[in-house]
Amino acid sequence: PFPLSTDHNRKHWPFRLRPGVALGGVAVCFVFAGIARAQVAAPSAPNSSAKTIVLPTITVTSPPLGSLTVPSVAQQKREIDQTAGSVGFIDSESLGNRYTANLDDVLKDAPGVMVDTRYGQELRLSIRGSGIARAYHTRGIEILQDGIPTHQADGSGDYYQIDPLALRSVDIYKGGNGLAYGSSTLGGAINFVTPTGHTAIAPNMLRIHGGSFGTVQVNGQVSRVSGDLDFMANFTTLHSDGYRQHETGQYEQFNANLGYRISPGIETRFYIGAYVVDQLLPGTLTLDEALHHPKSAQNAAVALDEARNTRVERFANRTTFALDSGSLDIDTWVIHKRLYHPIFQVLDENGVTYGIAPRYTTKFTVGGHHNELIVGGRFFGGNNTALRFVNNAGSEGQQTLDSRQNAYNYEGYFENRFFVLPQLALMTGAKLLHDERRYVDNGGLTADPTAKTANRAYDGFNPKIGVLWNLRPDIQVFADVTRSQDVPDFTDLTQTFGSTGNFVPLQAQRAWTAEIGTRGSYHRFGWDVTFYRSWVRDELLQYTTDSNIPASTFNAGSTLHQGIELGVSAELLHNISGPHAGDKLTLSQLWNWSDFTFRNDPQYGNNRIPGIPLNVLRTTLSYTQPGGFYFTPGIDWVPGGAWADYANTLKVPGYVLFGLETGVNFSDGWSIYLEARNLADKRYVSDFGPVTNAQTQNTAVFYPGDGRSVFVGLRHIF
């Protein structure tokens, strides 16, 4: 009932899940629940001669306690708050009553995290200018799931295997603060943590969402704990016709984990994931088309039946040893990814990523002072077969490329927190890395037939030093200086020029970042504020020459990134409807100020780097009642849009979007909610791929934002 694309695209995926099968997957989750429930013996019938005493019902609730491999959510929050630097944390309970279709819905209230949507679950995610000019997929941020990398070994990847409805919490490590997991990129790391049998909100959960653009989303989750064994299974299916023409998307995402306590000090947990994506691409438009005909698709995208279809299987394990001196985690993983991607040509790729990452944490005293230490290492590699074919309306024509892309990464890191005073900690750390990129061209890409192979190695040493001052248990001040290094991926290194291309041996991007900030709460006020400045060398920037050809990457000279990441909230009124009523009115404000410029560049002088607006603001006013009713209007405001070109001749218009969230949480586990977006049906640009000079180049590079939409949802936890 949900046609996605033409049959010639479907034939490449004989194992494609259809919506009926997808809905069946949700039912399978609840079959597990029934089996687990059936294992509990029914109570014997009472003796008719015995006197029955009926006692009043007592309900006892407590937060999930977690286990060795995955601590409780409260413990995760305490650990991340001890970072001497800017971090963020999201408890999935705050997302339970929202329409949540992609990572923008998860991260939109996190200070410093910039998310620009394009279509379906495709988006551009940036922290502190990471991937500021990236025209697609990831750049400069490590995407982790349960502490384990999800991207390919060269650093490339997308966000499709992160299911927004399969999360228990989200750890956000901005910039060099991702060192706790071995990350040292400009943007840092985001760790998406899935539930376990110990940390799940409830044993069973069912969610149904639907609304504008033919959207239907169904999610089911079950979890159980039986002695030393626990498991969780989560399945989501999402179908949407999309706001624009040729934007139909179908997603099926399955996540499960099984944990076993081998002994009081040893626990192992296996993770399994399967992710099926069939997404048609609407392409980009000119600025005039995006603002006046936003529902239209690019003609070439329709003619070539452009799409991005992926099949991903993930298998991982974490085994934790609780030692007398600390705790040792050993992570291993294998990810298989198949990509069928008809665009200017048909990209047909098949690759495997694998790795191992030991991580040791310990606490001890030095001269009577408390000390906490993390020491870890990571080796992960990947082998990818990258083929290209002439695109015959979405089908493979004559082969144009047969290549192999091999990447290997060797990393060691440590982070130490020494408490000079009980409330004052000195944090030091460093990462040592050696990354290799090996490319083999078996014919088709390079203009030089003798250049069959190309290798590039990158070495780096990235130190960190910072301080954390706990003024009070709920108020912190921090400052730190870190060095980052971003290594080019194969999308950067193998660039297409016309019908041919070359391996381009780019330099790694390097930066020093200084930050100072504070986070905490006091009475009715809460805040999270950071000011940062990054001095960047050889920044990896992209420019679009033709909207139908992947963007090219170059190393800039010296650039400067600086900004303010601010999130504040204030409880304006309390007990509004009467004494002891418990209802309240809360105002929340998010402000990201992002000032990214060239520094005396020979070509662009001190121009602003295109891609991200100078100011992005989000304001919400929320009324809540203890009985479960809430009403939250919101405003998303971009006062002035970003520059679209490096010459700073074309700027995207700013915009204001009005939205509304409301719903009721009932005491029996049922919730019903409604969300309305872009109520004024504003025409605006949500993202684009930068060009060098808009006065001389084709500027069909813009993605229009979605128009007015309404979504309703129903959740039941039991």
Side-chain angles (χ1 to χ4, degrees), residues 264-470:
I266 304 175
E267 181 176 292
T268 189
R269 185 168 303 277
F270 295 91
Y271 295 93
I272 300 173
Y275 316 94
V276 178
V277 173
D278 291 291
Q279 177 67 61
L280 295 179
L281 309 185
T284 52
L285 304 173
T286 66
L287 183 59
D288 181 74
E289 291 170 336
L291 296 178
H292 296 95
H293 306 284
K295 293 185 179 182
S296 63
Q298 184 188 59
N299 291 334
V302 176
L304 296 174
D305 199 18
E306 294 187 358
R308 183 174 177 84
N309 303 328
T310 61
R311 304 292 184 267
V312 178
E313 302 86 37
R314 172 181 181 257
F315 181 82
N317 174 265
R318 168 170 293 166
T319 299
T320 300
F321 302 86
L323 309 175
D324 292 338
S325 59
S327 177
L328 174 64
D329 296 326
I330 299 179
D331 295 338
T332 54
W333 67 95
V334 177
I335 301 174
H336 171 252
K337 180 177 181 179
R338 179 74 189 277
L339 169 69
Y340 184 77
H341 193 14
I343 44 175
F344 76 108
Q345 293 184 8
V346 176
L347 279 58
D348 192 342
E349 299 186 3
N350 195 347
V352 176
T353 302
Y354 45 86
I356 182 170
R359 184 173 182 263
Y360 175 69
T361 61
T362 183
K363 299 178 182 180
F364 52 91
T365 59
V366 178
H369 297 272
H370 182 66
N371 193 85
E372 300 175 0
L373 175 65
I374 300 173
V375 179
R378 294 193 302 184
F379 163 75
F380 60 107
N383 310 105
N384 187 50
T385 299
L387 310 178
R388 289 188 186 179
F389 302 85
V390 172
N391 185 347
N392 292 331
S395 294
E396 294 178 351
Q398 181 180 358
Q399 185 169 351
T400 60
L401 172 67
D402 179 1
S403 67
R404 303 296 181 270
Q405 302 170 349
N406 302 317
Y408 306 98
N409 308 286
Y410 308 85
E411 304 172 352
Y413 64 92
F414 82 91
E415 187 172 84
N416 190 76
R417 191 160 47 236
F418 177 71
F419 285 82
V420 181
L421 299 171
Q423 295 80 29
L424 182 64
L426 173 65
M427 181 175 284
T428 56
K431 175 181 175 180
L432 187 66
L433 64 89
H434 174 77
D435 295 345
E436 298 178 2
R437 305 290 180 261
R438 304 174 185 176
Y439 180 78
V440 179
D441 181 2
N442 294 319
L445 177 65
T446 179
D448 180 2
T450 64
K452 293 295 184 181
T453 63
N455 300 323
R456 191 75 166 86
Y458 301 91
D459 297 292
F461 177 72
N462 301 321
K464 171 183 179 176
I465 185 169
V467 293
L468 175 67
W469 182 19
N470 294 294

